[in-house]
Amino acid sequence: MTPVELSRTVLRAVRCAVDDGELSVAVPARAVVTPPGPGGCGDYATSIALQLARPAGQPPLRVAEILCRHLVATDGVAGVAVTGPGFINISLEGAAPVGLVRDILRAGTAYGRSDALAGRIVELRIPYEVRAEVVADALTRIIASQGGRAEVEHAEPVSLRPVPAPGDPALLGPDAARWALLHLAPHDRPRITADQLVQRESNPLFRVRYAYARTRALTRNAAALGFAAEPGDVRLSGGGASPGGGPAGGEGPTAGSGGLLPPRPLTQPPDPTPLLTALADHPRVLLAAATDHAPDRLARHLVTVADALLPLLPAVLPRGEEKPLAAHRARLALAEAAGAVLAGGLSLLGIDAPQHL
C-alpha cells in the first residue's frame, strides 16, 4: 500500500464513521500520512483525528479511537495505535513492501507514469535563455509521463521564467549542466561551478548516478554467484556488510568515492523503510512535478532515493562462503527497484544513467 493509497484508506475510514453516525463532520479532501515522528510507531502516521476533533465536537483521542476501529478492518493494515494527543500510527502488512517492489520491477523505468493529465495541453511560454530551455525540455518529458502534452513557444507573456544561469553551463558537459539547471528551484540561481563534476559524496548528482551504477553492478555480481532478484521480506535475517564496506564479490567503493558505502558491523542491515517510503512516493512526486511545473522536485526526490538506498547496498550480496538466501534475493530486488526509479527519473530530466561509474 503506497502513501497515496493509505491516504485514501484513511479517508474511507472517515467516511464510514460519518455514514455510521459516529462522526458528524465533512469528509476532508485529503488525509496526510507521513513516517511516524518521535514517540510514534508503525510504518505511517496521520493527524486526521486532531484535524477533525473540533468540527466533530469530540476529543481527538475519541475521534482517533473511532477511526482506528475502521482502519484495523482494512486489508493491508496490520495494526493501528494511537500516540500523543491523537496521532494514529498505522502498521502495514509485510506483503505491502513486497507488492511495491514487484510493481516497480514490472513497470521498470516507467514506474510512476500515469494518465492523470490525459487530454491536457500545457502551454509553456519561455524566454530565449538556456535555463528556461532546459527546464521546458524536462517539463515536456515529465508532463508526457502523466499523459499530458506540453507545447513550448517563445512568446509573451512568459509563463516560465527561471532565474538565468550566471555563466555558460555547457562547460560542465551535458549531464552536469542539465543537473545544475534543474536541481534547484526555478527561483534559485543555479551554481555553474566545478563542484558539479567532482565524484564525491558532496555532489548530489554523483550520489544519484553512483547509486544507480551500484545497483547494476550488484545485478551483474549476483548473476555471477548464481542468483537473481526475487521480491520478498528484506527484513529477513541473513547476510550483512563486508568488513571492507562493499558487498562481498562486489565492485566496492574506493577512497575516491567519498566513502558512500561505509563499513558496517556484520549484523542486520539498515532499516529499509525510508527507501520503501521514497519509492512509494515516486508517482506522487512525478505528478506534482508535472502539475506544478517543477522538475526540481523530481531531481531532489532522486537524491532522497539514492541517499536511502546507499546504506542498504553492502548487505545485498552474500559474504565469503555464505550461500545466497531469500534475504539476499529480496534485497537485490529492492535495489533493482530503486535503480529503476533512479534511471527513469534521470531519463525524464534528460540525464544519462551510467551502467558503470
Side-chain angles (χ1 to χ4, degrees):
M1 186 182 299
T2 68
V4 173
E5 292 168 338
L6 183 57
S7 175
R8 294 173 185 153
T9 297
V10 172
L11 291 180
R12 282 196 296 272
V14 175
R15 191 172 295 110
C16 288
V18 171
D19 292 344
D20 291 349
E22 298 172 295
L23 293 176
S24 180
V25 295
V27 179
R30 63 191 296 259
V32 177
V33 295
T34 62
C41 59
D43 297 302
Y44 294 98
T46 177
S47 60
I48 190 73
L50 301 173
Q51 177 184 338
L52 298 178
R54 177 170 293 183
Q58 301 190 50
L61 288 174
R62 172 59 181 161
V63 176
E65 178 185 342
I66 292 171
L67 295 180
C68 284
R69 287 201 297 269
H70 294 279
L71 285 169
V72 77
T74 303
D75 289 341
V77 174
V80 292
V82 179
T83 58
F87 292 105
I88 300 176
N89 298 263
I90 305 170
S91 297
L92 301 179
E93 293 179 351
V98 177
L100 171 64
V101 171
R102 186 175 289 113
D103 289 346
I104 297 174
L105 293 178
R106 185 181 299 117
T109 56
Y111 171 68
R113 294 175 182 264
S114 75
D115 58 359
L117 301 182
R120 289 270 301 275
I121 298 177
V122 180
E123 295 183 357
L124 300 175
R125 296 185 299 275
I126 63 173
Y128 286 97
E129 192 275 324
V130 63
R131 190 182 187 196
E133 300 277 3
V134 170
V135 170
D137 177 70
L139 280 175
T140 298
R141 302 166 193 260
I142 294 171
I143 291 170
S145 78
Q146 302 304 300
R149 180 163 64 88
E151 293 185 349
V152 181
E153 60 178 336
H154 299 89
E156 296 288 345
V158 168
S159 62
L160 182 66
R161 191 192 296 272
V163 173
D168 183 5
L171 299 176
L172 299 176
D175 290 329
R178 290 184 73 88
W179 182 266
L181 299 176
L182 294 171
H183 179 234
L184 297 178
H187 58 263
D188 292 328
R189 185 173 297 278
R191 295 188 293 271
I192 310 301
T193 66
D195 291 344
Q196 306 287 349
L197 301 175
V198 296
Q199 295 195 12
R200 61 174 64 121
E201 192 173 358
S202 59
N203 181 354
L205 174 59
F206 172 69
R207 295 205 303 277
V208 170
R209 300 176 83 198
Y210 177 80
Y212 171 72
R214 291 295 302 128
T215 66
R216 303 311 303 148
L218 288 170
T219 298
R220 293 191 297 268
N221 294 334
L225 293 173
F227 76 98
E230 182 178 330
D233 188 352
V234 295
R235 295 178 176 86
L236 288 174
S237 62
S242 65
E251 300 164 14
T254 64
S257 71
L260 293 179
L261 298 182
R264 296 188 56 83
L266 302 181
T267 58
Q268 287 295 96
D271 182 8
T273 301
L275 177 58
L276 290 165
T277 300
L279 296 179
D281 203 31
H282 186 63
R284 183 196 65 81
V285 172
L286 278 184
L287 181 57
T291 55
D292 296 340
H293 301 174
D296 58 290
R297 291 192 180 185
L298 173 57
R300 292 196 299 273
H301 178 66
L302 297 182
V303 176
T304 298
V305 172
D307 288 347
L309 168 64
L310 285 166
L312 303 176
L313 297 183
V316 171
L317 298 182
R319 295 180 287 111
E321 299 301 318
E322 185 179 19
K323 300 297 183 182
L325 304 174
H328 299 116
R329 293 190 289 272
R331 293 171 198 156
L332 179 61
L334 177 58
E336 290 185 357
V341 167
L342 294 175
L346 287 172
S347 176
L348 290 175
L349 297 177
I351 297 174
D352 178 55
Q355 298 283 320
H356 303 268
L357 192 61

